[in-house]
Amino acid sequence: MEKRTVVCLGELLIDFVPEISGLPLAKVETFRKAAGGAPANVAAAVARLGGKARFIGKVGRDPFGAFLREALAEAGVEPALVETDEARTGLAFVSLRDDGERDFLFYREPAADMLLRKEDVKEAWLGDAAVFHFGSVSLIAEPCRSATMDAARRARARGALVSYDPNVRLPLWTSADYARRVILDQLPFADIVKVSEEEVGFLYGGASAEDGARLMLGAGPRCVVVTLGAAGSRVFTRAGELAAPTVRVDAIDTTGAGDGFVGGLLWRLADAGVGAARLEEAFADPSFAGEALRFANAVGALATTKRGAIPALPTRPEVERRLAGEA
Ligand code: ADP
């Protein structure tokens, strides 16, 4: 079987996004509902670029769960969703500051996505995975934590490249120390890890991107990618490193930049048939690595030019036109 599917697992929730930016949450009067959740955004990014993507998660048997199923399908993602009566679909209220950054208020105590169990994840959802991608929100509590780790192990055993984006959301954790420990504990289970520069600082006591990436590589992954916002990104392997610039954009809403970046990178790896065994070799080739990072950077950059995560994701021709314009 040809394996080209990017399979993402984790949280799927409703983001209530304000109609007007620049106000604190207490002052916002009207919110628009949008599909949210980092791993779901990554799946949508892959699908938007023309790749095959599946999202595995749990929603409530409620109208918001039905909305999310439809939103995934509309984004071109295969919804591999389990419905539950045990809890409702999770909610997050988001406020957009004038600088494009966000504040969050979560309603998930518990939310349906946190109740995903090992046995919910069907073999058929993992068998055709070229890449299996997960984040850290699904590692916060049981039973979802075991379900995530078990699915990553199963996908890897079947030949998938395992990708991990810690995506630190501190308000969801009981303490910063606990978050750091759980997030770092997962490194050995991943082949490729994506972190932002701020996350490296948080995880390793203020370490630079370079020092943090080297420490991460020591824990097991073959490849660490650090995103630097408007300064682009850097990839590190045991063999070396490479930096790539991003394209210039007027950022309106940074929601989904990191997820768009990850989607772009994973789509390139899946499309080129780069599995775990070839990952270091692929990134040691400056022409492949530079092109893959520039592509992923452009996806992340374009994702900031419209409101919301999924509606802002670019198609492959849009990315290529933008890159050709910068050349
Ligand atoms: P996160 O959303 O995880 O914090 P970043 O903000 O670093 O991640 O964004 C991910 C990638 O998206 C960056 O590496 C960069 O390539 C691109 N990007 C993000 N913000 C901008 C921006 N203002 N201008 C250009 N590119 C950007």
Side-chain angles (χ1 to χ4, degrees):
M1 189 198 323
E2 205 189 13
K3 298 187 184 215
R4 284 287 158 94
T5 308
V6 175
V7 177
C8 302
L9 178 146
E11 71 281 10
L12 175 64
L13 51 120
I14 307 257
D15 279 340
F16 281 98
V17 190
E19 297 263 341
I20 298 172
S21 318
L23 293 173
L25 271 177
K27 298 275 185 208
V28 177
E29 291 197 348
T30 44
F31 294 91
R32 186 190 293 268
K33 80 179 188 309
N41 295 339
V42 171
V46 170
R48 185 91 174 131
L49 291 167
K52 200 161 177 274
R54 179 179 302 123
F55 175 81
I56 302 173
K58 204 164 207 171
V59 291
R61 202 184 307 277
D62 53 42
F64 285 160
F67 166 77
L68 289 172
R69 179 183 295 274
E70 216 168 275
L72 285 179
E74 222 169 80
V77 175
E78 182 192 316
L81 294 182
V82 185
E83 286 179 358
T84 181
D85 291 313
E86 288 177 88
R88 290 187 177 156
T89 303
L91 309 180
F93 288 82
V94 186
S95 80
L96 288 179
R97 300 202 313 246
D98 282 332
D99 60 1
E101 291 299 326
R102 298 156 289 162
D103 291 323
F104 293 95
L105 183 60
F106 293 100
Y107 283 71
R108 35 186 288 119
E109 287 159 11
D113 64 90
M114 298 157 73
L115 303 180
L116 187 75
R117 291 184 168 77
K118 275 187 205 178
E119 54 276 21
D120 289 329
V121 181
K122 299 187 178 124
E123 283 304 315
W125 293 344
L126 303 173
D128 61 349
V131 178
F132 176 87
H133 173 75
F134 69 104
S136 75
V137 171
S138 66
L139 301 172
I140 294 174
E142 292 292 2
C144 191
R145 181 172 171 190
S146 296
T148 305
M149 292 168 64
D150 183 65
R153 264 195 301 267
R154 280 156 64 195
R156 194 182 226 182
R158 285 163 154 268
L161 172 85
V162 176
S163 157
Y164 173 37
D165 175 355
N167 220 333
V168 181
R169 292 275 173 268
L170 275 185
L172 294 175
W173 295 81
T174 47
S175 77
D177 280 345
Y178 178 61
R180 199 176 286 115
R181 184 158 55 79
V182 172
I183 287 170
L184 293 176
D185 276 355
Q186 305 311 311
L187 292 175
F189 300 99
D191 299 303
I192 181 165
V193 177
K194 175 262 173 191
V195 274
S196 69
E197 199 174 25
E198 301 84 64
E199 285 167 339
V200 171
F202 165 73
L203 292 169
Y204 294 106
S208 66
E210 185 150 29
D211 292 347
R214 296 275 159 227
L215 288 166
M216 283 191 168
L217 287 172
R222 296 163 191 261
C223 176
V224 173
V225 184
V226 182
T227 59
L228 313 161
S233 56
R234 292 169 80 178
V235 61
F236 298 84
T237 62
R238 285 177 193 86
E241 67 157 291
L242 188 129
T246 182
V247 297
R248 278 176 63 87
V249 288
D250 287 324
I252 291 175
D253 174 4
T254 57
T255 312
D259 302 333
F261 175 91
V262 174
L265 193 63
L266 297 183
W267 176 76
R268 284 231 77 98
L269 292 173
D271 192 60
V274 174
R278 279 193 49 222
L279 196 60
E280 281 164 306
E281 186 194 323
F283 281 112
D285 169 0
S287 89
F288 176 85
E291 196 270 337
L293 281 193
R294 273 195 303 278
F295 185 90
N297 285 343
V299 178
L302 291 170
T304 70
T305 58
K306 286 187 210 153
R307 275 178 198 236
I310 294 177
L313 292 166
T315 62
R316 181 179 173 183
E318 282 167 352
V319 176
E320 284 171 351
R321 262 201 308 276
R322 191 56 216 260
L323 285 170
E326 297 273 326

